[in-house]
Amino acid sequence: MELERAQELQQNIAGEALAMLSLGSDNVVKYEQTIQLIGSTCGIPTEDTNTLLALIGRGKASPEKIDSGEITLPRADGKPKDVMANWTAQDTFWVMMDLFQVAIVTPTQEDREILYGMVEELIATQNFEDWLNPKG
C-alpha cells in the first residue's frame, strides 16, 4: 500500500474513533490498535501515528471538544476535517478493503485479528442502507 493511502486510512480510522467518542463511547481501543498497526506495517513515521493517537487521547479527555470543533483531524490543505461526516457505504467498503490489504502484509496472526476486528466494528457501526435502498 502506498504511504499516502496508508496515512489516509489511519486518518479515517482516527476520525471514526473521534466520532465514536463524540457519540458517547468510551472504548476506542480497537481504533487505536488499528492506527498503530497501519503505521508500523506501512512504514508511516512514528510521529504521524503518535499525532493521531494524541488527538484521540484529547478526545477521550474532553469529548465535548470534538463536538465544538476544537479537536479536528489535520488535512493536507490545512482545513479541519469534519469527524462527524457520515461515510457512504462505498466509503466504508473501501476502508474495509484497505484494512484487508494491510492485514495481508501484517506479520502476525494476532495483528491480523486486530485488523479483522476493526472491519467487524465498521460493519456493526456503519450504515449500508444507501446500497440497499439507492435513491435514484
Side-chain angles (χ1 to χ4, degrees):
M1 176 178 288
E2 293 176 5
L3 183 62
E4 285 182 18
R5 187 170 180 137
Q7 288 173 316
E8 181 180 347
L9 178 59
Q10 261 191 335
Q11 284 211 351
N12 286 334
I13 299 299
E16 278 304 293
L18 291 172
M20 295 302 290
L21 290 168
S22 176
L23 294 171
S25 176
D26 61 354
N27 185 0
V28 292
V29 172
K30 284 182 189 178
Y31 297 84
E32 293 168 312
Q33 290 174 329
T34 299
I35 289 165
Q36 289 173 329
L37 282 173
I38 295 166
S40 62
T41 301
C42 298
I44 295 172
T46 304
E47 62 268 10
D48 293 352
T49 297
N50 289 343
T51 296
L52 294 176
L53 294 173
L55 282 173
I56 294 169
R58 287 180 47 217
K60 284 181 189 177
S62 304
E64 70 280 356
K65 290 185 177 183
I66 301 167
D67 294 333
S68 70
E70 291 177 60
I71 297 175
T72 60
L73 290 170
R75 288 184 1 176
D77 62 9
K79 297 178 184 174
K81 183 176 182 179
D82 181 4
V83 297
M84 294 304 289
N86 288 328
W87 286 1
T88 66
Q90 189 173 15
D91 294 334
T92 304
F93 172 81
W94 286 115
V95 167
M96 292 185 321
M97 292 303 100
D98 285 347
L99 287 169
F100 282 125
Q101 188 174 357
V102 173
I104 289 169
V105 296
T106 299
T108 70
Q109 174 79 24
E110 180 182 354
D111 290 348
R112 287 188 294 276
E113 288 175 3
I114 290 169
L115 293 169
Y116 183 75
M118 187 73 252
V119 169
E120 289 181 318
E121 180 84 6
L122 292 175
I123 289 170
T125 60
Q126 294 299 314
N127 185 352
F128 287 91
E129 202 166 302
D130 59 334
W131 272 2
L132 299 173
N133 299 309
K135 297 174 183 135

